[in-house]
Amino acid sequence: ADNWATMSPQLKSAGYCVFALDYGDRGTGDIAQSAGQLKRFVDAVLAATGAHRVSLVGHSQGGMLPRYYIKFLGGANEVDDLVGLAPSNHGTTNPGAFVAGQTFCPACDQQRAGSDFLTNLNAGDETPGPVSYTVIETRYDEVVTPYTSAFLAPGPDTANVLLQDACPAEVIDHHEMPNDQLALRWTLAALGRTGPADPASPPSCV
């Protein structure tokens, strides 16, 4: 509810049929198991809508977790776009971002830079399948550090967008990315075209 109170209705207003889920005991559980929840949720959405594929928009862990589903659980056949808002694709070096060793939060340790989970996820092709990958990040990310660790390996179906490249005055932190209107415009740009967002054609800064 906190993540999508702003963006979800605006995606709906743009003509998209929007579904949201809460996974992994409020995002604290083992990420591989959470990816299994995502798979079951997507299957239910496809069955309910008759669609052949879905587009996924996720924030933080929610922008990285679908890559496990795509890579290991058959999601490459069901996902058209993945748009990650400040995703933890390569984890974080910030020692204060998560509390180390907390058994109630396996996902916290899994999102540390260099974790076994992320090493496995990022081995080989980081962006497999016929999926369009768009990463939208802010220079002022205080959770995913360095902010460049959000970005994926370059490829023809991958776009890494730093909000401040086109809009230097944009000041937004990690937590508020789903509420940011510029991030929303980039998200719509990614969803509204074939392939990922085009960093060379940024939306308006205002």
Side-chain angles (χ1 to χ4, degrees):
D2 178 63
N3 267 11
W4 304 112
T6 298
M7 188 171 284
S8 180
Q10 294 191 54
L11 291 173
K12 184 177 179 181
S13 293
Y16 294 98
C17 189
V18 181
F19 297 80
L21 79 157
D22 195 3
Y23 59 82
D25 194 16
R26 305 305 295 267
T28 64
D30 176 79
I31 296 175
Q33 294 183 22
S34 295
Q37 290 181 270
L38 174 62
K39 173 180 171 56
R40 293 188 291 276
F41 186 82
V42 169
D43 288 345
V45 168
L46 293 176
T49 61
H52 298 292
R53 296 166 78 94
V54 298
S55 292
L56 300 176
V57 181
H59 173 231
S60 195
Q61 180 188 159
M64 172 272 288
L65 176 154
R67 293 179 49 232
Y68 191 96
Y69 159 55
I70 291 168
K71 190 168 187 175
F72 298 116
L73 302 179
N77 297 319
E78 296 183 332
V79 177
D80 184 26
D81 287 275
L82 170 59
V83 180
L85 306 174
S88 51
N89 282 321
H90 296 94
T92 181
T93 60
N94 183 350
F98 306 109
V99 180
Q102 296 289 346
T103 56
F104 68 86
C105 186
C108 299
D109 285 335
Q110 289 173 319
Q111 289 175 90
R112 293 185 179 278
S115 71
D116 290 344
F117 175 84
L118 288 173
T119 298
N120 180 47
L121 176 63
N122 293 318
D125 190 357
E126 292 188 359
T127 54
V131 179
S132 298
Y133 296 84
T134 299
V135 173
I136 303 169
E137 177 60 309
T138 173
R139 188 183 302 277
Y140 303 104
D141 194 325
E142 78 287 11
V143 175
V144 175
T145 61
Y147 69 85
T148 52
S149 66
F151 296 141
L152 294 167
D157 297 316
T158 303
N160 292 309
V161 173
L162 183 65
L163 294 178
Q164 288 78 22
D165 279 349
C167 302
E170 176 74 359
V171 179
I172 191 73
D173 68 1
H174 178 89
H175 294 286
E176 288 302 309
M177 284 286 283
N179 298 315
D180 183 63
Q181 291 302 307
L182 181 58
L184 171 67
R185 290 193 290 275
W186 272 111
T187 298
L188 291 171
L191 297 178
R193 68 190 302 270
T194 300
D198 182 4
S201 298
S204 169
C205 295
V206 293

